Amino acid sequence: MELIHELLGYKNIKIIQDSEMFNFSTDSMQLAYFVSCSPKTSKIIDLGCGNAPIPLFLTMKTKAHIIGVDIQKEIYNIRSVKLNHFEDQIEIINADIKDIYKIVGTNCFDIVTCNPPYFKYLETSNINKNDYLTIARHEVKITLEDIISESKKLLTEKGSLYLVHRVDRFPEIINLLSKYKFEAKRIRFMYPKVNSDEALLVLIDAKNNANPGLKILPPFYMYDENGEYTKEALDMFNYKPKS
């Protein structure tokens, strides 16, 4: 069943959702909130865009041309883009991320964003009966290494790759970034609550061919001790571009 929702607290941006398919999560919003755009940012690509929450959010941060790519024809659509009249800024492509550079070009994007499948796919994996959810959550169609190697082909010489992923795969991510000549520059750990013992997710800003120099940012907490959204979470939900 399709519904039209506000993109979190952004009444001026609507997103089309389908209750039987994979809807966007706050993970995608946290990633888009984390992305740093400059006036020189001209081209962005979001790999595995789903129903395009990250491209939609990024329109509040930049005037850059944004491309979203998703392999699942049933999930990808341009109707949310048309609904918000972003056709001149956002382009959605139904294609495999692997070798997408052959369609969109090489070394021409300032930023690559990706909220990838979090789980490795094994014969013993506890997968969802819904194929859409399985592909979105498990590395059935693409692996973490595929995403990083493809990003290398897409980015400009000093471009940035932004990822959100599970903390338990953090060492693997750092190793793969190093393998493909990326340097992690900013890292932020995401906690469910201010009193949570462990972070669940990590946000990573990795630069292509950069010199070493890592910053660990303050943690992001979604909920306070009373189970209410923290001030920063509310700021994310009601993001306002700097004037």
Side-chain angles (χ1 to χ4, degrees):
M1 179 180 177
E2 284 195 346
L3 298 170
I4 298 177
H5 292 149
E6 292 176 358
L7 187 70
L8 298 181
Y10 313 109
K11 294 182 179 180
N12 59 325
I13 300 182
K14 310 293 183 183
I15 187 166
I16 297 173
Q17 306 254 67
D18 191 315
S19 59
E20 295 182 1
M21 296 185 187
F22 188 74
N23 295 326
F24 82 91
S25 66
T26 56
D27 302 3
S28 293
M29 294 297 91
Q30 288 168 329
L31 179 60
Y33 182 67
F34 181 64
V35 169
S36 178
C37 299
S38 79
K40 294 182 179 179
T41 301
S42 63
K43 293 185 73 175
I44 298 173
I45 188 165
D46 181 40
L47 304 180
C49 67
N51 57 345
I54 292 174
L56 291 172
F57 188 110
L58 290 178
T59 61
M60 294 184 288
K61 287 192 163 191
T62 181
K63 299 298 183 183
H65 181 64
I66 304 168
I67 295 177
V69 182
D70 204 284
I71 195 171
Q72 298 200 72
K73 190 173 184 179
E74 295 83 1
I75 289 180
Y76 118 97
N77 68 63
I78 62 171
R79 285 177 296 145
S80 290
V81 175
K82 290 183 176 180
L83 181 65
N84 294 284
H85 307 293
F86 287 145
E87 297 97 322
D88 291 340
Q89 186 175 8
I90 299 177
E91 177 185 358
I92 306 296
I93 299 174
N94 176 214
D96 195 334
I97 293 171
K98 287 178 285 189
D99 293 338
I100 189 63
Y101 74 95
K102 294 179 180 178
I103 298 174
V104 300
T106 58
N107 308 125
C108 58
F109 291 90
D110 302 296
I111 292 173
V112 172
T113 58
C114 187
N115 179 2
Y118 287 161
F119 304 102
K120 291 179 180 289
Y121 182 69
L122 306 170
E123 290 185 6
T124 56
S125 295
N126 182 20
I127 61 173
N128 197 289
K129 293 181 180 179
N130 184 323
D131 287 342
Y132 308 123
L133 296 178
T134 296
I135 292 171
R137 292 173 177 168
H138 292 79
E139 294 180 339
V140 176
K141 298 289 186 180
I142 197 161
T143 66
L144 177 59
E145 182 164 8
D146 291 333
I147 290 165
I148 293 174
S149 65
E150 192 68 22
S151 298
K152 185 71 177 183
K153 300 168 188 172
L154 295 167
L155 284 168
T156 60
E157 178 67 18
K158 298 297 182 182
S160 298
L161 168 60
Y162 288 88
L163 292 170
V164 58
H165 219 297
R166 287 174 59 88
V167 168
D168 58 8
R169 297 190 66 181
F170 181 62
E172 177 188 0
I173 296 169
I174 295 301
N175 286 336
L176 287 172
L177 289 173
S178 178
K179 177 179 178 179
Y180 289 95
K181 308 302 180 186
F182 284 99
E183 190 71 35
K185 302 296 285 185
R186 295 191 304 142
I187 289 172
R188 192 170 195 193
F189 292 97
M190 319 295 285
Y191 292 77
K193 294 183 179 181
V194 295
N195 54 1
S196 296
D197 293 330
E198 298 178 357
L200 294 182
L201 300 174
V202 60
L203 295 167
I204 301 171
D205 168 9
K207 305 292 185 188
N208 192 17
N209 300 315
N211 293 324
L214 172 64
K215 292 181 179 179
I216 304 294
L217 302 183
F220 183 104
Y221 301 107
M222 184 62 73
Y223 298 100
D224 64 19
E225 301 93 332
N226 301 317
E228 303 291 336
Y229 286 121
T230 62
K231 181 182 182 303
E232 187 171 17
L234 291 173
D235 287 344
M236 178 183 72
F237 293 158
N238 294 279
Y239 174 80
K240 292 179 176 59
K242 294 179 181 178
S243 57

